[in-house]
Amino acid sequence: MENLKIMLADHWEEFLEFLREVMKVPSVKGQPQPLDPYGEGPRSALALVIRKGEEVGFKTKVIDDAIGYVQWGEEDEDYIGIIGHLDVVPAGSGWEFPPFDLTEKKDRFYGRGILDNKGPIISCFYALILLKKMGFVPRKTIRIIFGTDEESGMSDITHYLEEEVPPIFGFTPDCKYPVVYGERGIVNVTIHLPLSKVDLTKISEFKGDQSRDHVPDLLSVRINEKEYPILGKRSPSNAPELGENALTLLAKKLKDIPDIPEQLKHYFSWIFQCFHDKHYGEGLGLTLADEDSGKLILTPVTLQKKTDGLNLEVAFRYPVSATEKQVVEGVVRNLPEGATLTINRSIPGICRKKETEKIKQLSKIYEEMTGNDATPVTTTGATYARKVPNIVAFGPSFPGQKGIAHNKNEYMDVADLRMNLEIYLRSIKALIE
């Protein structure tokens, strides 16, 4: 362990140099091309890490230009898998630092992907490199798997599992500590609110940064030639309580404006009553909860004008003991007259056995390194563990750290990045020795 700490110190700057190189690639999903299924950025980031793996002497493979891995060991079926992603969400606005770079200021690193997920998966990759440099000889084959479409649906995993067998065990460093053995179910619904042609002529398109991955923080609409701008506070869509939803704030403002068409006011009043600051389903009578995963969480994420009305998308994350059917039926019971509902995203929850020996191994390392309670937990997030058998989430966020990913000035403390690198190094070593 002393040699390990020396290696970490001696190669820290080298690690940061490579991480900076990866973070400089603006790997946001773009237009698909023949060799770039998710755009040039994600494919460039993948090529960069694969090239590094080849330089170090690892076996490498890229599958359908969508996902790739570096491998240490020759066994292609009985292997440990560590899976993360190189794609990132768009930078958004309001940054105080270059979003596509690695900037250090006052013991904190900034940049898009430092937490989600370039920093953590490159930490795992570099942990493998350091173990090789130390002369460690693995008894078990290990792969570091690099996805490039995690933020937009995880279609990269389909390519991987069509060609490769899943790992016998592994983790994704794309959530929180300690070990995450369960992930809530996710269902996104689009609620269509019909409007007459006359009412539609009085309302403009909604302008603002709207996406299902975050609480909208800026939204404006013009009604009867008057502009109504609203400023909220952005946060991840799985932590709406940390933000201020511009969509529901706009509904709050518009529901009482006298010269707005009555049907529009009715819809805005309904949105306000059901969703404004009611993150746990209380506005819909959907207060589902269980001991393992806590309360249902909901987030209105987009509001758009269509040719025959408005479309409101709401994201639900429901407890592992609940069902998608319960959620959808609860929403339908509360729809305004004439409104309809369609499901546009459906991801069932998962719940792994939390008492396995390998989970105990990871838990012990985390507890020894941090002194924190290592009892396995569940999450509201969605990780590759939902798609890949035998995978759990493990890190990188420590208890109390929320609302950092997908936000402006995404960051990770220098001490936390160092701690992650050592936790992952020790964990990988334990899993393959």
Side-chain angles (χ1 to χ4, degrees):
M1 289 300 112
E2 188 59 35
N3 288 340
L4 185 153
K5 286 185 176 293
I6 292 171
M7 281 292 288
L8 287 173
D10 288 347
H11 293 272
W12 176 249
E13 292 301 325
E14 178 186 294
F15 159 68
L16 291 181
E17 183 180 344
F18 181 63
L19 176 58
R20 179 174 288 108
E21 190 177 356
V22 176
M23 289 185 62
K24 280 179 174 288
V25 180
S27 50
V28 177
K29 188 173 185 177
Q31 289 298 317
Q33 302 294 332
L35 299 178
D36 306 326
Y38 309 119
E40 181 181 354
R43 184 66 180 88
S44 296
L46 180 60
L48 181 58
V49 298
I50 293 297
R51 186 164 60 247
K52 181 70 170 181
E54 292 170 348
E55 291 172 359
V56 175
F58 294 132
K59 178 180 177 179
T60 66
K61 185 176 181 179
V62 174
I63 301 165
D64 298 338
D65 297 303
I67 191 167
Y69 62 81
V70 300
Q71 177 173 310
W72 195 10
E74 296 305 317
E75 175 56 60
D76 290 333
E77 295 190 0
D78 185 16
Y79 69 94
I80 298 295
I82 313 297
I83 179 167
H85 63 95
L86 299 169
D87 60 307
V88 296
V89 299
S93 60
W95 282 73
E96 300 170 37
F97 309 93
F100 296 110
D101 202 346
L102 180 65
T103 303
E104 182 178 355
K105 183 176 182 180
K106 295 182 179 179
D107 299 320
R108 181 168 282 181
F109 289 121
Y110 295 90
R112 178 61 84 221
I114 182 61
L115 181 68
D116 184 19
N117 184 236
K118 291 179 177 179
I121 194 58
I122 297 303
S123 295
C124 293
F125 181 26
Y126 237 80
L128 210 64
I129 293 173
L130 293 180
L131 285 170
K132 193 172 190 294
K133 287 178 180 289
M134 291 172 66
F136 178 77
V137 179
R139 297 177 61 187
K140 181 76 67 178
T141 294
I142 183 168
R143 289 181 183 176
I144 309 294
I145 305 165
F146 301 95
T148 61
D149 188 45
E150 194 275 346
E151 297 290 5
S152 302
M154 306 186 198
S155 65
D156 47 359
I157 291 303
T158 301
H159 295 271
Y160 185 85
L161 294 177
E162 284 177 349
E163 193 159 322
E164 306 289 328
V165 299
I168 59 169
F169 180 74
F171 63 83
T172 176
D174 191 23
C175 193
K176 63 183 179 181
Y177 291 114
V179 173
V180 178
Y181 70 94
E183 298 186 8
R184 299 187 194 197
I186 295 176
V187 60
N188 282 38
V189 302
T190 295
I191 299 167
H192 180 64
L193 305 168
L195 285 171
S196 69
K197 290 183 179 180
V198 173
D199 285 349
L200 280 167
T201 63
K202 298 178 180 180
I203 185 169
S204 72
E205 303 287 339
F206 291 86
K207 298 178 182 178
D209 182 12
Q210 299 186 77
S211 171
R212 63 173 50 155
D213 64 66
H214 64 265
V215 169
D217 59 349
L218 182 62
L219 203 59
S220 68
V221 67
R222 191 175 66 258
I223 303 178
N224 289 333
E225 303 305 318
K226 183 176 180 180
E227 195 76 22
Y228 295 95
I230 290 291
L231 179 64
K233 179 182 176 183
R234 182 165 166 163
S235 70
S237 58
N238 66 341
E241 74 281 2
L242 300 179
E244 295 176 16
N245 197 312
L247 192 160
T248 63
L249 286 171
L250 182 64
K252 180 181 180 180
K253 182 173 186 176
L254 296 177
K255 68 183 181 67
D256 295 321
I257 301 295
D259 61 344
I260 287 179
E262 285 302 316
Q263 190 62 43
L264 272 175
K265 285 202 291 184
H266 175 64
Y267 287 151
F268 290 133
S269 179
W270 177 79
I271 291 171
F272 170 75
Q273 290 172 6
C274 291
F275 301 111
H276 182 65
D277 286 343
K278 295 175 182 176
H279 310 301
Y280 309 111
E282 59 268 42
L284 296 168
L286 268 178
T287 52
L288 304 174
D290 61 33
E291 185 176 351
D292 275 332
S293 46
K295 299 177 181 179
L296 172 143
I297 294 175
L298 65 81
T299 310
V301 288
T302 66
L303 182 61
Q304 299 173 333
K305 179 184 176 181
K306 297 297 179 180
T307 57
D308 56 351
L310 307 180
N311 277 3
L312 171 69
E313 181 174 354
V314 185
F316 292 86
R317 297 166 192 266
Y318 55 89
V320 294
S321 62
T323 66
E324 179 181 290
K325 183 180 179 182
Q326 283 178 279
V327 175
V328 173
E329 288 180 349
V331 180
V332 169
R333 284 195 300 269
N334 288 275
L335 290 179
E337 184 178 354
T340 56
L341 178 149
T342 58
I343 297 171
N344 55 45
R345 187 188 189 199
S346 176
I347 307 176
I350 61 166
C351 197
R352 309 276 192 231
K353 293 180 180 179
K354 57 184 174 181
E355 298 299 329
T356 67
E357 287 304 313
K358 286 185 170 60
I359 286 180
K360 288 179 180 178
Q361 270 186 307
L362 297 180
S363 299
K364 182 179 179 182
I365 290 167
Y366 170 74
E367 187 172 37
E368 289 175 347
M369 286 288 300
T370 66
N372 294 336
D373 181 9
T375 304
V377 296
T378 64
T379 182
T380 59
T383 77
Y384 281 132
R386 293 177 187 261
K387 299 285 188 177
V388 184
N390 310 319
I391 292 290
V392 295
F394 187 49
S397 295
F398 294 98
Q401 296 177 340
K402 292 183 69 176
I404 302 169
H406 297 189
N407 216 332
K408 64 182 180 182
N409 299 325
E410 181 180 341
Y411 71 86
M412 184 185 288
D413 288 345
V414 174
D416 287 350
L417 185 60
R418 283 182 178 271
M419 179 69 78
N420 268 288
L421 181 55
E422 185 169 353
I423 288 173
Y424 290 143
L425 196 154
R426 292 190 183 204
S427 298
I428 289 170
K429 180 177 180 292
L431 292 172
I432 64 176
E433 66 182 359

